[in-house]
């Protein structure tokens, strides 16, 4: 008898069966995230109808208040996760502080941090955007509310990380430390179906993804890397191909499947950009866990992303992520060990 369609839920249950000590917490947590993703996906698909259905902050033809899509996505995730009984705290790129679990809900053993709708400047122009999430086991003792300490853990302590890309199809990609698996939303049944089992990133790619308009603000090492990447050299396949969507999830997803490197270095444009733009907790850590599980690498130019101990919820980090050899070459340039 051939195997039936493997939905996300079925796949997680199969995975949990391999670990008799598993409590089923992930099945519940990932189901909550998947449900939120389906709701967000549905609304992202309707975003182009905004002129017909009403702008954010207005009342639409049905008399409903319209929230901005990123605020809406945040609200959906918070409400979907808050009542499941598996979490003791959350943090979101959209909220300044820790998000507590309501008093009436039993406290769980995990915390979840997320970027509800990344690349939100691309919503208005029908370009792919995404949701990114990461889950840790709580470190504070007892079963009271979670603390900041539970959220400020280094990336290597993640027990699960994933993203949802709202693209030509909606896909959910996740890891729990045993490979990376991708599920495509079948809109006719509303189910995430296993479409990409055990994703591996090529060890070397042909693509570099960076916002080159910051060239004048970069340090010499970064400029040297880009000069090297653009220089024709048939002996090693250069020039690399430039591809930049400006949506981290979409740029990352393409490079994960095809091979390549995404770079967002620090720059001198303003003092708050010395560590770039992207956030360690909500963006860099989850994608770093995924890329390592797929055989790739993620670095801040000097250190492994997953080794950085965060000291605040919204701290930024430079990010060099993708195929292992490409990230190693970029690191050598950043550290001044290599010149074009
Ligand atoms: P956001 O969290 O406000 O959406 O910003 C994050 C996005 C990433 O998706 C993307 O990689 C980056 O910003 C693009 O920034 P830039 O416009 O500076 O190239
Ligand atoms: Mg973001």
């Amino acid at each position: 008898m051939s195997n039936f369609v493997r939905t996300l839920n079925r796949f997680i249950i199969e995975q949990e069966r391999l670990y008799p000590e598993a409590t089923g917490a992930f099945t519940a947590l990932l189901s909550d995230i998947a449900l939120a993703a389906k709701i967000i996906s549905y609304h992202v698909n309707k975003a182009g109808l905004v002129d017909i259905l009403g702008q954010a902050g207005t009342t639409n033809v049905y008399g409903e208040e319209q929230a901005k899509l990123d605020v809406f996505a945040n609200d959906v995730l918070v409400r979907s996760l808050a009542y499941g009984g598996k979490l003791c705290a959350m943090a979101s790129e959209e909220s300044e502080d820790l998000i507590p679990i309501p008093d009436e809900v039993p406290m769980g053993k995990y915390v979840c941090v997320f970027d509800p709708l990344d690349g939100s400047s691309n919503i208005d122009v029908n370009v792919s955007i995404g949701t990114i999430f990461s889950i840790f086991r709580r470190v504070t003792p007892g079963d009271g509310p979670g603390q900041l300490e539970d959220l400020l853990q280094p990336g290597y302590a993640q027990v699960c990380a994933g993203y949802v890309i709202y693209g030509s199809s909606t896909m959910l990609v996740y890891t729990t430390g045993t490979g990376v698996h991708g599920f495509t939303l079948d809109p006719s049944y509303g189910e995430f179906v296993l479409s990409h089992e055990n994703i591996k990133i090529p060890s070397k790619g042909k693509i570099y993804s960076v916002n080159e308009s910051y060239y004048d603000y970069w340090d010499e090492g970064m400029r040297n890397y880009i000069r090297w990447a653009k220089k024709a050299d048939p002996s090693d396949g250069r020039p690399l191909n430039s591809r930049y969507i400006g949506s981290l999830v979409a740029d990352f997803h393409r490079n994960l499947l095809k091979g390549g490197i995404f770079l967002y270095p620090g720059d001198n444009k303003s003092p708050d950009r010395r560590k770039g733009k992207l956030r360690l907790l909500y963006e860099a850590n989850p994608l770093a866990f995924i890329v390592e599980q797929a055989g790739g690498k993620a670095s801040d130019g000097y250190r492994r992303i997953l080794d950085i101990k965060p000291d605040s919820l919204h701290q930024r980090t430079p990010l060099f992520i993708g195929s292992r050899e490409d990230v190693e070459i970029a690191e050598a340039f950043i550290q001044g060990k290599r010149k074009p």
Side-chain angles (χ1 to χ4, degrees):
M1 191 165 58
S2 66
N3 202 348
F4 196 58
V5 177
R6 288 165 92 192
T7 61
L8 176 64
N9 258 341
R10 182 169 164 179
F11 186 83
I12 307 163
I13 291 166
E14 281 172 19
Q15 294 284 304
E16 285 198 328
R17 257 192 232 129
L18 302 174
Y19 300 92
E21 68 283 5
T23 58
F26 281 137
T27 315
L29 273 171
L30 278 167
S31 301
D32 290 345
I33 290 171
L35 173 63
K38 288 180 206 174
I39 297 172
I40 296 167
S41 175
Y42 171 76
H43 285 266
V44 166
N45 287 157
K46 283 203 316 183
L49 296 169
V50 78
D51 287 340
I52 301 163
L53 300 181
Q55 296 280 355
T58 64
T59 306
N60 71 16
V61 287
Y62 306 112
E64 297 161 341
E65 270 292 307
Q66 294 295 287
K68 273 185 74 195
L69 204 51
D70 44 4
V71 178
F72 170 81
N74 187 53
D75 199 47
V76 168
L77 265 165
V78 168
R79 284 191 293 152
S80 175
L81 286 165
Y83 293 92
K86 303 296 174 212
L87 298 179
C88 61
M90 292 178 271
S92 163
E93 207 203 66
E94 288 284 331
S95 308
E96 201 53 34
D97 303 313
L98 174 155
I99 304 169
I101 302 299
D103 288 341
E104 66 269 28
V105 181
M107 290 297 149
K109 300 230 168 310
Y110 296 91
V111 296
C112 184
V113 303
F114 47 83
D115 183 350
L117 209 52
D118 183 71
S120 46
S121 64
N122 278 323
I123 296 173
D124 295 348
V125 288
N126 217 339
V127 170
S128 301
I129 44 184
T131 296
I132 316 175
F133 61 92
S134 114
I135 298 169
F136 295 84
R137 214 165 263 123
R138 73 179 297 167
V139 286
T140 53
D143 47 15
Q147 312 292 316
L148 208 50
E149 204 185 323
D150 296 310
L151 296 161
L152 295 180
Q153 299 188 51
Y156 62 73
Q158 288 172 99
V159 290
C160 177
Y163 62 83
V164 183
I165 176 167
Y166 309 103
S168 43
S169 331
T170 295
M171 247 187 104
L172 188 151
V173 175
Y174 85 98
T175 184
T176 52
T178 53
V180 180
H181 310 292
F183 300 79
T184 302
L185 182 63
D186 181 336
S188 42
Y189 304 111
E191 286 281 4
F192 280 105
V193 177
L194 181 64
S195 51
H196 297 64
E197 191 170 4
N198 207 12
I199 298 171
K200 290 291 171 204
I201 185 168
S203 58
K204 174 109 186 59
K206 277 283 294 165
I207 294 171
Y208 74 103
S209 318
V210 69
N211 187 338
E212 254 183 277
S213 67
Y214 301 124
Y215 187 90
D216 275 350
Y217 300 112
W218 288 335
D219 292 345
E220 198 50 29
M222 180 62 197
R223 290 192 211 176
N224 281 340
Y225 173 76
I226 294 301
R227 279 191 214 120
W228 173 86
K230 288 153 82 113
K231 195 165 167 30
D233 186 344
S235 73
D236 61 7
R238 278 180 293 148
L240 302 184
N241 220 342
S242 169
R243 290 282 182 274
Y244 191 69
I245 298 169
S247 259
L248 177 61
V249 171
D251 279 310
F252 176 83
H253 183 70
R254 180 202 52 239
N255 293 0
L256 181 69
L257 298 183
K258 297 202 163 198
I261 180 169
F262 172 93
L263 310 94
Y264 207 118
D267 61 50
N268 300 313
K269 196 174 175 197
S270 61
D272 63 324
R273 285 183 57 99
R274 281 309 294 151
K275 289 186 159 193
K277 175 185 185 187
L278 301 175
R279 318 279 175 157
L280 176 61
L281 263 68
Y282 312 108
E283 290 156 337
N285 264 342
L287 300 186
F289 188 23
I290 291 169
V291 88
E292 285 199 5
Q293 281 295 314
K297 196 165 169 161
S299 160
D300 73 349
Y302 295 86
R303 290 174 294 175
R304 181 182 177 225
I305 290 288
L306 296 182
D307 283 338
I308 302 172
K309 168 85 182 87
D311 37 45
S312 70
L313 286 178
H314 294 276
Q315 94 183 49
R316 297 173 199 271
T317 177
L319 181 63
F320 304 86
I321 188 166
S323 295
R324 190 177 40 77
E325 286 177 41
D326 291 304
V327 173
E328 282 165 4
I329 293 169
E331 278 180 320
F333 277 99
I334 297 297
Q335 295 172 19
K337 294 177 183 159
R338 203 169 156 167
K339 305 268 186 256

